[in-house]
Amino acid sequence: MVYEILSEHDMCQYYDLAAHPGTQLKQGKSRQRFAYLDHPKIVSQLLDYQDQSRSSITLYLPQIHCASCIWLLENLYKLHPGIQQTRVFFMKKQVQITFLQEQISLRALVELLTDIGYEPSIHLQDGQKSSGRHADNSFYLKLGIAGFCFGNIMLFSFPEYLGLEMTGAGGFHQFFSWLNVVLALPVLLYSAQVFFRPALQGIRQRRINIDVPVSIGILALFIRSLVEILSQTGAGYMDSLAGLVFFLLIGKWFQRKSYDHIAFDKDYTGYFPIASTRVVEGKEESVPVMDIVQDDVLRIRSQELIPADAVLVSPQAAIDYSFVTGEAEPVEKIAGNLLYAGGRQVGGAIEVRVIKPVSQSYLTQIWDQTSDTSSQMDSYADQLSKYFTWIILLIATLAGSYWWYTAGLTEALGVFTAVLIVACPCGLALTSPIIQGNTLRLFGRQGFYLKKAQILEHMTRIKHIVFDKTGTLTSK
């Protein structure tokens, strides 16, 4: 069937681009399973952009694997005039498609992709993707501002690096110093919030994490530099401040890129369907999963997930709970038995009556408990900072007190801030995310994925590994 479609549009060069182009096309699936894509609410959640004529959507196609796939997907416009443009992101196995909604609907687009062997994987998480994208843009904006200010402050401080005399420069020396202060303010008030907010949250919870001493060092550096510029006793260290924040953000960026590459940060919405089939007075209708309420009757077809805890209405069913328990053997159920969310029907179509909404199901409770437990783990850097911060503050206080007694308040403040600046654990804060990111990348090459990067440090304490009845040893 794929050959007939390509041959009809004179696109058979697809088969010349790779030794094994395309993927095996699964036959026999009903197109009725895409009926939910006619629901306006679901369509609006999935689309990236929509106006009166054009729409844009990003779809995950797990079948993408070679150059032939890229060529075919980027030439979709030849298969239908309603498709305007396609962009393939090979590493992420995603395709961004812009289409004319008056000529081709989203359902027809998905059906076309399915016909040529690239059925999209659409889940509940895809309809809730806007918030994460906004957070990523905010981080990159902080990184860009820190880099821009760092570079310009270094240019304005260039005469200081060469030790040039500024006696004959009039007011230019002071003018450039004030420009450095202006450029350092966005770094301090915006870019450095990545460290200030976790530090403040830790203090409120009476926990000292690695961001606390880093934040103290950044504030001490800014205050020391500002005092020198105001008193005209020095040029300050605004370049060091902006550079410190910039390189620390680069470390976090590297960790984030490595973590995004393995893409194992899904919650239960990453596996649930975005819609289900509800039966009302004997008629079927597609309904968004999050709109399912108690006492709704759902029709679950073969290989479909049960989206909410429900009671079986049909005479019998065979439910695969491997997604929840790891046990692949189907469990036989009869009418009246309780079915938990996450189970997959492996027989014919069945009908169930919902007893709890999706957000209150047994599976979501288990997932939330797992997330809460993992978020409470302290990293080695955070544990070290508990003692490090108090020791540095003690040393800075003792040194400042001594110089206050022997040389006066001005010298004491200089010594106090110097200790805080020099002892800032920026090296630990910079290397920790880089090491974690690189380790995640190496693990990913071997097919070993971790849900959180912090688990890496806790793995070093493992002494025994216990396999339950569903565990499988693949090699000795």
Side-chain angles (χ1 to χ4, degrees), residues 436-451:
Q436 290 180 353
N438 191 49
T439 305
L440 287 175
R441 181 179 62 85
L442 295 176
F443 279 3
R445 286 183 177 179
Q446 303 300 322
F448 185 74
Y449 304 104
L450 300 177
K451 188 175 182 181

Side-chain angles (χ1 to χ4, degrees), residues 365-411:
Q365 294 176 8
I366 294 178
W367 205 289
D368 292 338
Q369 292 174 2
T370 304
S371 300
D372 292 341
T373 301
S374 59
S375 63
Q376 296 174 357
M377 298 186 300
D378 291 334
S379 66
Y380 173 75
D382 291 340
Q383 294 176 0
L384 180 62
S385 63
K386 296 177 183 178
Y387 309 100
F388 181 85
T389 303
W390 292 114
I391 293 174
I392 294 305
L393 288 175
L394 178 61
I395 294 175
T397 302
L398 292 176
S401 300
Y402 172 79
W403 286 100
W404 189 3
Y405 178 77
T406 58
L409 179 60
T410 303
E411 190 71 21

Side-chain angles (χ1 to χ4, degrees), residues 223-266:
I223 295 173
R224 171 76 176 267
S225 302
L226 186 62
V227 169
E228 289 189 3
I229 293 173
L230 289 174
S231 61
Q232 299 186 14
T233 57
Y237 308 95
M238 294 303 183
D239 52 342
S240 300
L241 168 66
L244 174 63
V245 175
F246 177 62
F247 288 116
L248 288 176
L249 289 176
I250 285 181
K252 288 185 176 293
W253 168 79
F254 180 80
Q255 182 189 39
R256 176 174 298 201
K257 292 295 291 184
S258 300
Y259 195 63
D260 290 344
H261 181 66
I262 63 176
F264 195 70
D265 55 351
K266 294 183 178 180

Side-chain angles (χ1 to χ4, degrees), residues 117-180:
Y118 297 92
E119 179 178 345
S121 178
I122 303 175
H123 299 287
L124 181 58
Q125 190 181 47
D126 299 328
Q128 304 171 348
K129 56 190 176 182
S130 58
S131 59
R133 185 180 304 169
H134 177 74
D136 289 341
N137 292 339
S138 175
F139 175 82
Y140 290 124
L141 183 60
K142 291 182 175 67
L143 177 62
I145 290 176
F148 171 82
C149 295
F150 173 47
N152 283 276
I153 291 176
M154 288 186 66
L155 288 176
F156 294 149
S157 304
F158 198 73
E160 298 289 341
Y161 300 151
L162 301 179
L164 300 179
E165 294 290 337
M166 301 295 293
T167 54
F172 284 105
H173 181 262
Q174 191 68 13
F175 175 71
F176 285 126
S177 297
W178 278 107
L179 282 181
N180 288 344

Side-chain angles (χ1 to χ4, degrees), residues 191-419:
S191 299
Q193 294 301 313
V194 175
F195 310 102
F196 290 157
R197 288 180 179 176
L200 184 59
Q201 292 174 358
I203 293 174
R204 287 175 177 175
Q205 299 173 2
R206 297 182 180 180
R207 295 174 59 250
I208 297 179
N209 50 39
I210 187 63
D211 294 304
V212 173
V214 171
S215 300
I216 292 175
I218 292 174
L219 289 174
L221 192 58
F222 179 79
I223 295 173
R224 171 76 176 267
S225 302
L226 186 62
V227 169
E228 289 189 3
I229 293 173
L230 289 174
S231 61
Q232 299 186 14
T233 57
Y237 308 95
M238 294 303 183
D239 52 342
S240 300
L241 168 66
L244 174 63
V245 175
F246 177 62
F247 288 116
L248 288 176
L249 289 176
I250 285 181
K252 288 185 176 293
W253 168 79
F254 180 80
Q255 182 189 39
R256 176 174 298 201
K257 292 295 291 184
S258 300
Y259 195 63
D260 290 344
H261 181 66
I262 63 176
F264 195 70
D265 55 351
K266 294 183 178 180
D267 57 10
Y268 70 95
T269 61
Y271 303 93
F272 271 28
I274 196 171
S276 188
T277 303
R278 182 167 58 189
V279 180
V280 180
E281 297 180 354
K283 296 182 180 180
E284 295 184 359
E285 64 177 15
S286 294
V287 57
V289 168
M290 301 309 295
D291 290 347
I292 294 175
V293 297
Q294 187 175 348
D295 293 330
D296 278 352
V297 176
L298 305 179
R299 180 161 294 166
I300 309 298
R301 295 181 173 84
S302 178
Q303 300 302 318
E304 289 185 352
L305 282 177
I306 301 172
D309 294 348
V311 173
L312 181 61
V313 177
S314 300
Q316 60 183 6
I319 308 299
D320 177 7
Y321 280 116
S322 58
F323 173 71
V324 182
T325 65
E327 182 63 63
E329 187 69 22
V331 179
E332 298 294 333
K333 297 290 184 178
I334 60 175
N337 286 165
L338 177 63
L339 306 180
Y340 291 109
R344 187 184 299 275
Q345 166 65 4
V346 296
I350 60 173
E351 291 187 1
V352 300
R353 184 178 300 275
V354 177
I355 61 174
K356 290 182 181 179
V358 176
S359 59
Q360 300 177 11
S361 67
Y362 175 70
L363 177 63
T364 57
Q365 294 176 8
I366 294 178
W367 205 289
D368 292 338
Q369 292 174 2
T370 304
S371 300
D372 292 341
T373 301
S374 59
S375 63
Q376 296 174 357
M377 298 186 300
D378 291 334
S379 66
Y380 173 75
D382 291 340
Q383 294 176 0
L384 180 62
S385 63
K386 296 177 183 178
Y387 309 100
F388 181 85
T389 303
W390 292 114
I391 293 174
I392 294 305
L393 288 175
L394 178 61
I395 294 175
T397 302
L398 292 176
S401 300
Y402 172 79
W403 286 100
W404 189 3
Y405 178 77
T406 58
L409 179 60
T410 303
E411 190 71 21
L413 290 176
V415 172
F416 180 80
T417 55
V419 173

Side-chain angles (χ1 to χ4, degrees), residues 95-107:
V95 58
Q96 186 180 58
I97 304 176
T98 303
F99 60 97
L100 301 176
Q101 53 201 22
E102 294 183 356
Q103 298 186 28
I104 181 172
S105 65
L106 179 58
R107 177 180 177 179

